[in-house]
Short mmCIF file of all heavy atoms in Angstrom, two decimals:
data_model
loop_
_atom_site.label_atom_id
_atom_site.label_comp_id
_atom_site.label_asym_id
_atom_site.label_seq_id
_atom_site.Cartn_x
_atom_site.Cartn_y
_atom_site.Cartn_z
N VAL A 637 4.57 -17.73 4.21
CA VAL A 637 5.07 -17.44 2.87
C VAL A 637 6.26 -16.49 2.95
O VAL A 637 7.25 -16.64 2.21
CB VAL A 637 3.94 -16.86 2.00
CG1 VAL A 637 4.47 -16.36 0.66
CG2 VAL A 637 2.87 -17.91 1.75
N ALA A 638 6.18 -15.50 3.84
CA ALA A 638 7.30 -14.56 3.99
C ALA A 638 8.57 -15.28 4.44
O ALA A 638 9.66 -14.98 3.95
CB ALA A 638 6.93 -13.46 4.99
N GLN A 639 8.41 -16.23 5.36
CA GLN A 639 9.58 -16.99 5.81
C GLN A 639 10.10 -17.90 4.70
O GLN A 639 11.31 -18.05 4.51
CB GLN A 639 9.20 -17.81 7.05
CG GLN A 639 10.34 -18.59 7.66
CD GLN A 639 11.41 -17.69 8.27
OE1 GLN A 639 11.13 -16.53 8.56
NE2 GLN A 639 12.60 -18.23 8.46
N ALA A 640 9.18 -18.50 3.93
CA ALA A 640 9.60 -19.42 2.86
C ALA A 640 10.32 -18.67 1.74
O ALA A 640 11.23 -19.22 1.10
CB ALA A 640 8.39 -20.16 2.31
N ARG A 641 9.93 -17.44 1.48
CA ARG A 641 10.54 -16.70 0.38
C ARG A 641 11.96 -16.24 0.68
O ARG A 641 12.64 -15.70 -0.21
CB ARG A 641 9.67 -15.48 0.04
CG ARG A 641 8.38 -15.84 -0.68
CD ARG A 641 7.50 -14.63 -0.82
NE ARG A 641 8.05 -13.71 -1.81
CZ ARG A 641 7.66 -13.64 -3.08
NH1 ARG A 641 6.73 -14.46 -3.52
NH2 ARG A 641 8.19 -12.77 -3.91
N THR A 642 12.43 -16.44 1.91
CA THR A 642 13.82 -16.09 2.21
C THR A 642 14.80 -17.13 1.69
O THR A 642 16.00 -16.88 1.66
CB THR A 642 14.00 -15.93 3.73
OG1 THR A 642 13.65 -17.16 4.38
CG2 THR A 642 13.13 -14.81 4.26
N PHE A 643 14.31 -18.31 1.31
CA PHE A 643 15.19 -19.38 0.80
C PHE A 643 15.32 -19.25 -0.72
O PHE A 643 14.39 -18.82 -1.41
CB PHE A 643 14.63 -20.75 1.17
CG PHE A 643 14.61 -21.03 2.65
CD1 PHE A 643 13.53 -20.64 3.43
CD2 PHE A 643 15.67 -21.66 3.27
CE1 PHE A 643 13.51 -20.88 4.79
CE2 PHE A 643 15.66 -21.90 4.62
CZ PHE A 643 14.59 -21.51 5.38
N ARG A 644 16.47 -19.67 -1.22
CA ARG A 644 16.76 -19.65 -2.66
C ARG A 644 17.22 -21.05 -3.08
O ARG A 644 18.42 -21.34 -3.11
CB ARG A 644 17.81 -18.61 -3.01
CG ARG A 644 17.36 -17.18 -2.76
CD ARG A 644 18.42 -16.19 -3.19
NE ARG A 644 18.73 -16.28 -4.60
CZ ARG A 644 18.04 -15.66 -5.55
NH1 ARG A 644 16.98 -14.94 -5.23
NH2 ARG A 644 18.39 -15.79 -6.81
N PRO A 645 16.27 -21.94 -3.38
CA PRO A 645 16.64 -23.33 -3.69
C PRO A 645 17.38 -23.42 -5.04
O PRO A 645 17.12 -22.66 -5.97
CB PRO A 645 15.30 -24.06 -3.77
CG PRO A 645 14.28 -23.10 -3.30
CD PRO A 645 14.83 -21.74 -3.38
N VAL A 646 18.30 -24.38 -5.11
CA VAL A 646 19.03 -24.68 -6.34
C VAL A 646 18.68 -26.10 -6.76
O VAL A 646 18.27 -26.94 -5.95
CB VAL A 646 20.54 -24.52 -6.14
CG1 VAL A 646 20.90 -23.08 -5.85
CG2 VAL A 646 21.05 -25.42 -5.03
N VAL A 647 18.88 -26.38 -8.06
CA VAL A 647 18.56 -27.69 -8.62
C VAL A 647 19.86 -28.48 -8.75
O VAL A 647 20.75 -28.09 -9.50
CB VAL A 647 17.87 -27.55 -9.99
CG1 VAL A 647 17.50 -28.92 -10.53
CG2 VAL A 647 16.64 -26.68 -9.88
N PRO A 648 20.02 -29.60 -8.01
CA PRO A 648 21.25 -30.38 -8.14
C PRO A 648 21.32 -31.10 -9.49
O PRO A 648 20.35 -31.14 -10.25
CB PRO A 648 21.16 -31.37 -6.97
CG PRO A 648 19.79 -31.33 -6.47
CD PRO A 648 19.13 -30.09 -6.97
N THR A 649 22.47 -31.70 -9.78
CA THR A 649 22.71 -32.32 -11.08
C THR A 649 21.78 -33.50 -11.32
O THR A 649 21.21 -33.65 -12.42
CB THR A 649 24.18 -32.79 -11.17
OG1 THR A 649 25.03 -31.69 -10.86
CG2 THR A 649 24.49 -33.29 -12.57
N ALA A 650 21.60 -34.36 -10.34
CA ALA A 650 20.74 -35.54 -10.52
C ALA A 650 19.31 -35.14 -10.83
O ALA A 650 18.66 -35.70 -11.73
CB ALA A 650 20.80 -36.41 -9.27
N VAL A 651 18.79 -34.17 -10.09
CA VAL A 651 17.42 -33.70 -10.34
C VAL A 651 17.32 -33.02 -11.70
O VAL A 651 16.32 -33.15 -12.41
CB VAL A 651 16.98 -32.76 -9.20
CG1 VAL A 651 15.57 -32.25 -9.45
CG2 VAL A 651 17.05 -33.47 -7.87
N SER A 652 18.37 -32.32 -12.09
CA SER A 652 18.37 -31.67 -13.40
C SER A 652 18.29 -32.70 -14.52
O SER A 652 17.53 -32.53 -15.49
CB SER A 652 19.62 -30.81 -13.54
OG SER A 652 19.68 -30.22 -14.81
N GLU A 653 19.06 -33.79 -14.41
CA GLU A 653 18.99 -34.84 -15.42
C GLU A 653 17.61 -35.49 -15.45
O GLU A 653 17.08 -35.82 -16.52
CB GLU A 653 20.06 -35.89 -15.14
CG GLU A 653 21.48 -35.37 -15.34
CD GLU A 653 22.53 -36.39 -14.91
OE1 GLU A 653 22.11 -37.45 -14.38
OE2 GLU A 653 23.72 -36.13 -15.11
N TYR A 654 17.02 -35.66 -14.28
CA TYR A 654 15.67 -36.23 -14.22
C TYR A 654 14.66 -35.31 -14.92
O TYR A 654 13.76 -35.78 -15.62
CB TYR A 654 15.29 -36.45 -12.76
CG TYR A 654 13.90 -36.99 -12.55
CD1 TYR A 654 13.58 -38.30 -12.88
CD2 TYR A 654 12.90 -36.19 -12.00
CE1 TYR A 654 12.31 -38.80 -12.68
CE2 TYR A 654 11.62 -36.68 -11.80
CZ TYR A 654 11.33 -37.98 -12.15
OH TYR A 654 10.07 -38.47 -11.96
N MET A 655 14.82 -34.00 -14.73
CA MET A 655 13.94 -33.04 -15.41
C MET A 655 14.09 -33.13 -16.92
O MET A 655 13.10 -33.08 -17.66
CB MET A 655 14.27 -31.62 -14.94
CG MET A 655 13.65 -31.20 -13.64
SD MET A 655 13.93 -29.45 -13.38
CE MET A 655 13.31 -29.27 -11.73
N VAL A 656 15.33 -33.27 -17.39
CA VAL A 656 15.57 -33.34 -18.84
C VAL A 656 14.89 -34.57 -19.43
O VAL A 656 14.20 -34.48 -20.47
CB VAL A 656 17.09 -33.36 -19.10
CG1 VAL A 656 17.37 -33.64 -20.57
CG2 VAL A 656 17.72 -32.04 -18.70
N LYS A 657 15.05 -35.72 -18.80
CA LYS A 657 14.43 -36.94 -19.31
C LYS A 657 12.90 -36.83 -19.28
O LYS A 657 12.22 -37.26 -20.22
CB LYS A 657 14.88 -38.14 -18.47
CG LYS A 657 16.36 -38.46 -18.61
CD LYS A 657 16.75 -39.61 -17.71
CE LYS A 657 18.25 -39.91 -17.82
NZ LYS A 657 18.67 -41.00 -16.89
N THR A 658 12.38 -36.23 -18.22
CA THR A 658 10.92 -36.07 -18.13
C THR A 658 10.41 -35.15 -19.21
O THR A 658 9.36 -35.40 -19.82
CB THR A 658 10.56 -35.51 -16.74
OG1 THR A 658 11.10 -36.35 -15.73
CG2 THR A 658 9.05 -35.43 -16.57
N TYR A 659 11.14 -34.07 -19.48
CA TYR A 659 10.71 -33.13 -20.52
C TYR A 659 10.72 -33.79 -21.89
O TYR A 659 9.80 -33.62 -22.69
CB TYR A 659 11.62 -31.90 -20.50
CG TYR A 659 11.35 -30.92 -21.61
CD1 TYR A 659 10.17 -30.18 -21.63
CD2 TYR A 659 12.25 -30.74 -22.64
CE1 TYR A 659 9.91 -29.28 -22.64
CE2 TYR A 659 12.01 -29.85 -23.66
CZ TYR A 659 10.84 -29.12 -23.66
OH TYR A 659 10.58 -28.23 -24.67
N VAL A 660 11.76 -34.58 -22.18
CA VAL A 660 11.81 -35.28 -23.46
C VAL A 660 10.65 -36.26 -23.57
O VAL A 660 10.02 -36.38 -24.64
CB VAL A 660 13.17 -36.00 -23.60
CG1 VAL A 660 13.19 -36.87 -24.85
CG2 VAL A 660 14.30 -34.98 -23.65
N ARG A 661 10.31 -36.94 -22.48
CA ARG A 661 9.18 -37.88 -22.51
C ARG A 661 7.86 -37.14 -22.75
O ARG A 661 7.00 -37.60 -23.50
CB ARG A 661 9.14 -38.65 -21.19
CG ARG A 661 8.20 -39.84 -21.23
CD ARG A 661 8.10 -40.55 -19.89
NE ARG A 661 7.27 -39.80 -18.96
CZ ARG A 661 7.72 -39.24 -17.85
NH1 ARG A 661 9.00 -39.32 -17.54
NH2 ARG A 661 6.93 -38.59 -17.04
N LEU A 662 7.71 -35.98 -22.12
CA LEU A 662 6.48 -35.20 -22.32
C LEU A 662 6.36 -34.73 -23.76
O LEU A 662 5.26 -34.73 -24.34
CB LEU A 662 6.47 -34.00 -21.37
CG LEU A 662 6.27 -34.28 -19.88
CD1 LEU A 662 6.41 -33.00 -19.06
CD2 LEU A 662 4.91 -34.90 -19.62
N ARG A 663 7.48 -34.33 -24.36
CA ARG A 663 7.43 -33.87 -25.75
C ARG A 663 7.06 -35.02 -26.69
O ARG A 663 6.27 -34.85 -27.63
CB ARG A 663 8.79 -33.29 -26.14
CG ARG A 663 9.11 -31.99 -25.46
CD ARG A 663 8.43 -30.81 -26.06
NE ARG A 663 9.02 -30.44 -27.34
CZ ARG A 663 8.66 -29.37 -28.03
NH1 ARG A 663 7.71 -28.58 -27.58
NH2 ARG A 663 9.23 -29.08 -29.18
N SER A 664 7.65 -36.20 -26.46
CA SER A 664 7.30 -37.33 -27.32
C SER A 664 5.85 -37.75 -27.13
O SER A 664 5.16 -38.12 -28.10
CB SER A 664 8.24 -38.51 -27.02
OG SER A 664 8.12 -38.91 -25.66
N GLN A 665 5.36 -37.67 -25.89
CA GLN A 665 3.95 -37.99 -25.64
C GLN A 665 3.05 -37.00 -26.36
O GLN A 665 2.02 -37.39 -26.93
CB GLN A 665 3.68 -37.96 -24.13
CG GLN A 665 2.24 -38.26 -23.74
CD GLN A 665 1.85 -39.68 -24.06
OE1 GLN A 665 2.70 -40.59 -23.98
NE2 GLN A 665 0.61 -39.91 -24.45
N GLN A 666 3.43 -35.72 -26.35
CA GLN A 666 2.61 -34.73 -27.06
C GLN A 666 2.61 -34.98 -28.57
O GLN A 666 1.59 -34.80 -29.23
CB GLN A 666 3.16 -33.34 -26.77
CG GLN A 666 2.34 -32.22 -27.39
CD GLN A 666 3.21 -31.12 -27.97
OE1 GLN A 666 4.37 -31.00 -27.60
NE2 GLN A 666 2.68 -30.38 -28.90
N LYS A 667 3.75 -35.42 -29.12
CA LYS A 667 3.82 -35.71 -30.55
C LYS A 667 2.89 -36.86 -30.91
O LYS A 667 2.22 -36.84 -31.94
CB LYS A 667 5.26 -36.05 -30.92
CG LYS A 667 5.51 -36.16 -32.41
CD LYS A 667 6.98 -36.38 -32.69
CE LYS A 667 7.21 -36.47 -34.21
NZ LYS A 667 8.65 -36.69 -34.51
N ARG A 668 2.83 -37.88 -30.04
CA ARG A 668 1.91 -38.98 -30.29
C ARG A 668 0.46 -38.53 -30.17
O ARG A 668 -0.40 -38.95 -30.95
CB ARG A 668 2.18 -40.13 -29.31
CG ARG A 668 3.47 -40.87 -29.58
CD ARG A 668 3.52 -42.18 -28.82
NE ARG A 668 3.45 -41.97 -27.37
CZ ARG A 668 4.53 -41.82 -26.60
NH1 ARG A 668 5.74 -41.81 -27.15
NH2 ARG A 668 4.39 -41.65 -25.31
N ASN A 669 0.19 -37.65 -29.20
CA ASN A 669 -1.19 -37.17 -29.03
C ASN A 669 -1.65 -36.36 -30.23
O ASN A 669 -2.82 -36.39 -30.59
CB ASN A 669 -1.30 -36.33 -27.76
CG ASN A 669 -1.14 -37.17 -26.51
OD1 ASN A 669 -1.28 -38.39 -26.55
ND2 ASN A 669 -0.83 -36.52 -25.39
N GLU A 670 -0.74 -35.60 -30.82
CA GLU A 670 -1.13 -34.79 -31.97
C GLU A 670 -1.53 -35.65 -33.16
O GLU A 670 -2.36 -35.25 -33.97
CB GLU A 670 0.02 -33.85 -32.37
CG GLU A 670 0.20 -32.69 -31.42
CD GLU A 670 1.37 -31.81 -31.82
OE1 GLU A 670 2.16 -32.24 -32.69
OE2 GLU A 670 1.49 -30.71 -31.27
N LYS A 671 -0.97 -36.84 -33.27
CA LYS A 671 -1.35 -37.73 -34.37
C LYS A 671 -2.73 -38.32 -34.14
O LYS A 671 -3.47 -38.58 -35.09
CB LYS A 671 -0.33 -38.86 -34.48
CG LYS A 671 1.05 -38.41 -34.91
CD LYS A 671 2.00 -39.58 -35.00
CE LYS A 671 3.40 -39.12 -35.41
NZ LYS A 671 4.37 -40.24 -35.46
N ILE A 672 -3.07 -38.50 -32.86
CA ILE A 672 -4.37 -39.11 -32.55
C ILE A 672 -5.47 -38.06 -32.53
O ILE A 672 -6.52 -38.21 -33.14
CB ILE A 672 -4.31 -39.85 -31.20
CG1 ILE A 672 -3.24 -40.96 -31.27
CG2 ILE A 672 -5.65 -40.42 -30.82
CD1 ILE A 672 -2.97 -41.62 -29.93
N LYS A 673 -5.22 -36.97 -31.86
CA LYS A 673 -6.26 -35.95 -31.68
C LYS A 673 -6.13 -34.89 -32.76
O LYS A 673 -5.04 -34.44 -33.09
CB LYS A 673 -6.12 -35.30 -30.31
CG LYS A 673 -6.25 -36.29 -29.16
CD LYS A 673 -6.04 -35.60 -27.83
CE LYS A 673 -6.10 -36.60 -26.69
NZ LYS A 673 -5.87 -35.98 -25.39
N SER A 674 -7.25 -34.49 -33.26
CA SER A 674 -7.24 -33.44 -34.27
C SER A 674 -6.93 -32.08 -33.65
O SER A 674 -6.33 -31.22 -34.29
CB SER A 674 -8.58 -33.39 -35.00
OG SER A 674 -9.63 -33.16 -34.07
N GLN A 675 -7.36 -31.89 -32.44
CA GLN A 675 -7.11 -30.62 -31.74
C GLN A 675 -6.53 -30.93 -30.36
O GLN A 675 -7.16 -31.60 -29.56
CB GLN A 675 -8.40 -29.81 -31.59
CG GLN A 675 -8.92 -29.27 -32.92
CD GLN A 675 -10.21 -28.51 -32.72
OE1 GLN A 675 -10.97 -28.82 -31.84
NE2 GLN A 675 -10.44 -27.51 -33.56
N ASN A 676 -5.35 -30.42 -30.13
CA ASN A 676 -4.67 -30.65 -28.85
C ASN A 676 -4.51 -29.32 -28.13
O ASN A 676 -3.99 -28.37 -28.71
CB ASN A 676 -3.32 -31.31 -29.09
CG ASN A 676 -2.67 -31.74 -27.78
OD1 ASN A 676 -3.36 -31.90 -26.78
ND2 ASN A 676 -1.37 -31.92 -27.80
N PHE A 677 -4.95 -29.25 -26.90
CA PHE A 677 -4.94 -27.97 -26.19
C PHE A 677 -3.67 -27.78 -25.36
O PHE A 677 -3.05 -26.74 -25.37
CB PHE A 677 -6.18 -27.88 -25.30
CG PHE A 677 -6.31 -26.57 -24.61
CD1 PHE A 677 -6.51 -25.41 -25.33
CD2 PHE A 677 -6.22 -26.47 -23.23
CE1 PHE A 677 -6.64 -24.20 -24.71
CE2 PHE A 677 -6.35 -25.26 -22.60
CZ PHE A 677 -6.56 -24.12 -23.34
N GLY A 678 -3.29 -28.79 -24.62
CA GLY A 678 -2.15 -28.66 -23.71
C GLY A 678 -0.83 -28.94 -24.41
O GLY A 678 -0.34 -30.06 -24.39
N HIS A 679 -0.24 -27.96 -25.06
CA HIS A 679 1.03 -28.14 -25.75
C HIS A 679 2.17 -28.09 -24.74
O HIS A 679 2.16 -27.28 -23.81
CB HIS A 679 1.23 -27.05 -26.81
CG HIS A 679 0.30 -27.17 -27.97
ND1 HIS A 679 0.47 -28.12 -28.95
CD2 HIS A 679 -0.81 -26.46 -28.30
CE1 HIS A 679 -0.50 -27.99 -29.84
NE2 HIS A 679 -1.29 -27.00 -29.46
N THR A 680 3.14 -28.95 -24.94
CA THR A 680 4.34 -28.96 -24.10
C THR A 680 5.41 -28.14 -24.79
O THR A 680 5.90 -28.52 -25.86
CB THR A 680 4.82 -30.40 -23.87
OG1 THR A 680 3.76 -31.16 -23.27
CG2 THR A 680 6.03 -30.41 -22.95
N THR A 681 5.75 -27.02 -24.22
CA THR A 681 6.72 -26.10 -24.80
C THR A 681 7.88 -25.92 -23.82
O THR A 681 7.81 -26.37 -22.67
CB THR A 681 6.08 -24.73 -25.09
OG1 THR A 681 5.65 -24.16 -23.85
CG2 THR A 681 4.86 -24.88 -26.01
N PRO A 682 8.97 -25.26 -24.24
CA PRO A 682 10.04 -24.96 -23.27
C PRO A 682 9.56 -24.17 -22.07
O PRO A 682 10.14 -24.26 -20.98
CB PRO A 682 11.04 -24.16 -24.11
CG PRO A 682 10.85 -24.66 -25.50
CD PRO A 682 9.39 -24.97 -25.62
N ARG A 683 8.48 -23.40 -22.24
CA ARG A 683 7.93 -22.69 -21.07
C ARG A 683 7.37 -23.68 -20.05
O ARG A 683 7.34 -23.39 -18.85
CB ARG A 683 6.83 -21.74 -21.53
CG ARG A 683 7.38 -20.47 -22.18
CD ARG A 683 6.26 -19.60 -22.66
NE ARG A 683 6.80 -18.35 -23.20
CZ ARG A 683 6.17 -17.57 -24.07
NH1 ARG A 683 4.97 -17.92 -24.50
NH2 ARG A 683 6.71 -16.45 -24.50
N THR A 684 6.92 -24.85 -20.53
CA THR A 684 6.45 -25.86 -19.59
C THR A 684 7.58 -26.34 -18.69
O THR A 684 7.40 -26.54 -17.48
CB THR A 684 5.86 -27.05 -20.37
OG1 THR A 684 4.89 -26.57 -21.30
CG2 THR A 684 5.21 -28.04 -19.43
N LEU A 685 8.78 -26.51 -19.27
CA LEU A 685 9.94 -26.92 -18.47
C LEU A 685 10.28 -25.86 -17.43
O LEU A 685 10.56 -26.17 -16.26
CB LEU A 685 11.12 -27.18 -19.39
CG LEU A 685 12.44 -27.57 -18.70
CD1 LEU A 685 12.28 -28.85 -17.91
CD2 LEU A 685 13.56 -27.70 -19.73
N LEU A 686 10.26 -24.59 -17.83
CA LEU A 686 10.53 -23.52 -16.87
C LEU A 686 9.46 -23.49 -15.78
O LEU A 686 9.74 -23.21 -14.62
CB LEU A 686 10.59 -22.17 -17.58
CG LEU A 686 11.79 -21.97 -18.51
CD1 LEU A 686 11.65 -20.66 -19.29
CD2 LEU A 686 13.08 -21.95 -17.72
N GLY A 687 8.20 -23.77 -16.16
CA GLY A 687 7.14 -23.83 -15.17
C GLY A 687 7.37 -24.94 -14.16
O GLY A 687 7.11 -24.77 -12.96
N VAL A 688 7.86 -26.10 -14.62
CA VAL A 688 8.17 -27.20 -13.71
C VAL A 688 9.27 -26.78 -12.73
O VAL A 688 9.20 -27.07 -11.53
CB VAL A 688 8.58 -28.45 -14.51
CG1 VAL A 688 9.09 -29.54 -13.57
CG2 VAL A 688 7.40 -28.98 -15.31
N VAL A 689 10.29 -26.09 -13.24
CA VAL A 689 11.38 -25.64 -12.37
C VAL A 689 10.85 -24.68 -11.31
O VAL A 689 11.19 -24.78 -10.11
CB VAL A 689 12.48 -24.97 -13.21
CG1 VAL A 689 13.54 -24.36 -12.31
CG2 VAL A 689 13.11 -25.98 -14.16
N ARG A 690 9.99 -23.73 -11.72
CA ARG A 690 9.46 -22.76 -10.76
C ARG A 690 8.60 -23.43 -9.70
O ARG A 690 8.69 -23.11 -8.50
CB ARG A 690 8.66 -21.68 -11.50
CG ARG A 690 9.51 -20.64 -12.18
CD ARG A 690 8.66 -19.52 -12.73
NE ARG A 690 8.02 -19.89 -13.98
CZ ARG A 690 8.54 -19.67 -15.19
NH1 ARG A 690 9.71 -19.11 -15.30
NH2 ARG A 690 7.88 -20.02 -16.28
N LEU A 691 7.74 -24.36 -10.12
CA LEU A 691 6.89 -25.06 -9.15
C LEU A 691 7.73 -25.90 -8.19
O LEU A 691 7.44 -25.96 -6.98
CB LEU A 691 5.87 -25.93 -9.88
CG LEU A 691 4.79 -25.20 -10.68
CD1 LEU A 691 3.99 -26.18 -11.52
CD2 LEU A 691 3.86 -24.44 -9.76
#
Side-chain angles (χ1 to χ4, degrees):
V637 171
Q639 183 67 19
R641 287 173 72 98
T642 59
F643 294 87
R644 294 183 61 84
V646 295
V647 182
T649 307
V651 179
S652 177
E653 293 174 355
Y654 178 71
M655 278 189 187
V656 172
K657 294 177 182 177
T658 305
Y659 175 69
V660 173
R661 192 183 76 246
L662 289 175
R663 291 281 286 185
S664 60
Q665 179 67 33
Q666 183 221 339
K667 189 175 181 180
R668 288 194 299 269
N669 291 341
E670 286 179 348
K671 293 180 181 178
I672 300 172
K673 301 177 183 179
S674 59
Q675 291 179 329
N676 188 20
F677 184 65
H679 291 285
T680 303
T681 63
R683 283 177 177 158
T684 307
L685 178 61
L686 291 173
V688 172
V689 173
R690 282 188 282 268
L691 292 171

